[in-house]
Amino acid sequence: MNSKKEIPQIKKDKNGQATWLVDGKPYIALAGEIHNSSSSSLQYMDEQVWPALRPLHLNTVILPVAWESVEPEEGKFDFSLPDGLIAAAKREQVRLVLLWFGLWKNGLSSYIPGWAKKASSGVSARFFRARDAFGRPLDCISPFCSDAVAADAAAFRALMLHLAEADPDRTVIAVQVENEIGILGADRDFCSAANRAFAQPVPQPVADWFGVRGSWEEAFGRDGAEMMMAWQYGSAVEQIASQGKSVYPLPLYVNAWLQQHPDRPGKYPCGGPVAKMRDIWRLAAPSVDCFAPDIYVNAYREVCDEYAAAGNPLFIPEVRATKDSASFLFYAVGKHNALCFAPFGIEDLCGKRRDEMGADLLQTLNIGAGAFDGAGAGERLAAAYEMVGNMQEIIREAHEGGKIHAFLEYNDAGVTIPLGKYDALISYTGASASFFSGPGTKDRSVAGGFIIERSEDEFLICGSGFSVQFLPKPGVQAVAGVLRKEEGRYQGGVWIPGRVLNGDEGYFIRLSDFPQVQRVWMYTYC
Ligand code: DGJ
């Protein structure tokens, strides 16, 4: 008898709607990504990280496995670290998403094994480096270096082969290939292989797909350098990802350091899967299931909307860990049926340790000082995760029927949502005090949530920081009244009612600043 569970997969229905199937059932990863170095020590994980994660109601932890840790000597693999992480995750009853820190991490080659670093010096090195416009070496192995890409692909294949055998329970449910790929410090790679490629006609698949000809610059003008880098990185990732997938077809994704101020390729990693490079990345890397934004910019809503477009499932492996995280989750899940939501540095959220990131590091990483404002964030996110975790099936059904409507405050006072029988007027309760102040700058958290229409008169209202008024449709001569309003919670999809709020509290449907769900029945009279 085969005791292995089904391999997790991301499946699309005929409308292009993606579902992540884990143990054969739809899954939303209510996740957190830990700091980069935490998972390099099992002892550190046991003492500092796992205890800090327990209160958060996570079902998934996202953590790095570095090439240097599994292939310390060339050709000799040691998987004791991932094995230990898997064993601990089982004990903690969470699933894992592994981050393959191979050739590239935040544009740099900092996690490659020592033996590979030593083979990277000089223009004709075995693992030659990318170069800037003056020919100076960058701290980054060139994506044009086929030997390096082949070595990374072989190591990744070995890891995936090991997981296929050593993880029959499918504790690992997806793998990120590399991390925030791209060239930093130059607007393209200027090593000699890159210079040759830049002068040549674009590869045939690119010419055919985009209907262009000539060199990269002739074909794409000012975007030519970035398009070439995206094609090159995408092709390298395809080699790595396809080798891994050929032995163990887990879902694979690639994350992006977003295009942001200062908005010049090379200031953000040039050649990564930023939104405007989506089509070329798809062409280059068909083995990748989705392209995922790391969201440290204020334009959260726009980024979600961009990355959920054109059939790309929304998968958020990193987002600022702040008191706004809960509302951001509601928007991602309610509006875009997100597969994953994960604040970064999650072990800090319950306020135990916030020592990892000094101001200088925040500056280097270009993420701004407000990113790790964790005060109150842990409790809010834990409540939101518990709530959404217990409503997964209801949320999924609502998406299938088009009956879920999400909203997120952003420099506005509210929104009107047309429903079947009513219009729902959502007003952000703190908005008048802090109108136009934007996320991350207020004392209170950003309002956000979603409404699920259970029938034309019954609604689930989830989120925080807003009130709802149901109005009859324009032209209908009737008054909308609250028939009944209950506090409560879901437990494994079953509603457990709390107080009935039909008295003083009944006039308004108001959700406080702390995430919650209310169940409301409406009626009309005249
Ligand atoms: C984005 C990177 O992908 C992460 O690994 C981490 O370095 C964070 N930035 C830090 O903010």
Side-chain angles (χ1 to χ4, degrees), residues 36 105-106 179-180 255 294 296 318 344 365 367 372:
N36 295 158
K105 153 78 174 79
N106 292 30
N179 188 85
E180 293 192 349
N255 66 332
D294 291 349
Y296 294 93
E318 293 183 44
F344 181 79
L365 294 170
I367 58 178
F372 294 95

Side-chain angles (χ1 to χ4, degrees), residues 234-314:
S235 305
V237 162
E238 176 59 18
Q239 193 177 331
I240 297 162
S242 60
Q243 289 232 12
K245 243 186 182 167
S246 70
V247 292
Y248 190 28
L250 279 183
L252 301 178
Y253 71 93
V254 177
N255 66 332
W257 173 327
L258 299 176
Q259 190 175 346
Q260 57 190 271
H261 181 78
D263 188 6
R264 290 283 296 270
K267 297 289 185 188
Y268 65 89
C270 173
V274 295
K276 71 173 176 176
M277 293 293 128
R278 181 187 60 216
D279 291 349
I280 193 156
W281 261 92
R282 274 199 176 154
L283 184 65
S287 299
V288 171
D289 293 87
C290 54
F291 298 102
D294 291 349
I295 315 181
Y296 294 93
V297 295
N298 281 344
Y300 173 83
R301 217 163 64 175
E302 288 83 344
V303 173
C304 287
D305 299 352
E306 247 177 350
Y307 273 81
N312 187 56
L314 182 61

Side-chain angles (χ1 to χ4, degrees), residues 13 141 305 352 423 438 480 523:
D13 67 16
I141 304 297
D305 299 352
K352 296 222 170 61
D423 284 347
Y523 73 117

Side-chain angles (χ1 to χ4, degrees), residues 220-505:
F220 298 106
R222 199 184 152 99
D223 287 336
E226 193 170 6
M227 289 290 273
M228 176 182 81
M229 294 314 302
W231 173 256
Q232 195 62 29
Y233 275 115
S235 305
V237 162
E238 176 59 18
Q239 193 177 331
I240 297 162
S242 60
Q243 289 232 12
K245 243 186 182 167
S246 70
V247 292
Y248 190 28
L250 279 183
L252 301 178
Y253 71 93
V254 177
N255 66 332
W257 173 327
L258 299 176
Q259 190 175 346
Q260 57 190 271
H261 181 78
D263 188 6
R264 290 283 296 270
K267 297 289 185 188
Y268 65 89
C270 173
V274 295
K276 71 173 176 176
M277 293 293 128
R278 181 187 60 216
D279 291 349
I280 193 156
W281 261 92
R282 274 199 176 154
L283 184 65
S287 299
V288 171
D289 293 87
C290 54
F291 298 102
D294 291 349
I295 315 181
Y296 294 93
V297 295
N298 281 344
Y300 173 83
R301 217 163 64 175
E302 288 83 344
V303 173
C304 287
D305 299 352
E306 247 177 350
Y307 273 81
N312 187 56
L314 182 61
F315 188 116
I316 305 176
E318 293 183 44
V319 60
R320 280 184 186 177
T322 72
K323 56 193 181 313
D324 298 333
S325 300
S327 294
F328 285 2
L329 165 76
F330 295 134
Y331 185 76
V333 166
K335 176 83 178 181
H336 292 302
N337 205 6
L339 303 183
C340 173
F341 181 87
F344 181 79
I346 191 78
E347 63 263 56
D348 293 351
L349 259 197
C350 279
K352 296 222 170 61
R353 314 177 39 257
R354 298 180 56 194
D355 56 349
E356 289 265 343
M357 300 254 154
D360 51 343
L361 187 51
L362 291 174
Q363 168 112 23
T364 311
L365 294 170
N366 195 25
I367 58 178
F372 294 95
D373 168 15
E379 293 78 1
R380 293 175 54 78
L381 189 68
Y385 273 179
E386 191 177 20
M387 190 166 117
V388 171
N390 278 297
M391 294 177 68
Q392 287 201 41
E393 188 55 30
I394 292 163
I395 292 170
R396 197 179 62 78
E397 278 171 14
H399 271 295
E400 276 172 12
K403 298 292 183 193
I404 182 165
H405 313 274
F407 44 88
L408 180 68
E409 175 186 6
Y410 186 65
N411 284 350
D412 56 355
V415 63
T416 303
I417 300 174
L419 303 172
K421 182 171 167 189
Y422 306 91
D423 284 347
L425 180 66
I426 314 287
S427 303
Y428 304 134
T429 33
S432 51
S434 50
F435 197 40
F436 292 129
S437 52
T441 59
K442 307 178 187 76
D443 293 335
R444 66 181 180 86
S445 44
V446 160
F450 53 81
I451 295 183
I452 293 178
E453 292 180 86
R454 300 287 280 170
S455 71
E456 65 170 16
D457 283 318
E458 185 195 335
F459 306 95
L460 294 172
I461 302 176
C462 308
S464 67
F466 60 90
S467 63
V468 187
Q469 201 184 348
F470 287 95
L471 304 171
K473 291 286 187 191
V476 174
Q477 290 198 332
V479 180
V482 176
L483 191 63
R484 183 179 171 91
K485 181 152 68 83
E486 290 179 358
E487 288 182 329
R489 65 194 172 86
Y490 273 94
Q491 177 90 56
V494 177
W495 176 246
I496 316 278
R499 289 183 303 168
V500 179
L501 304 174
N502 279 7
D504 291 350
E505 303 88 354

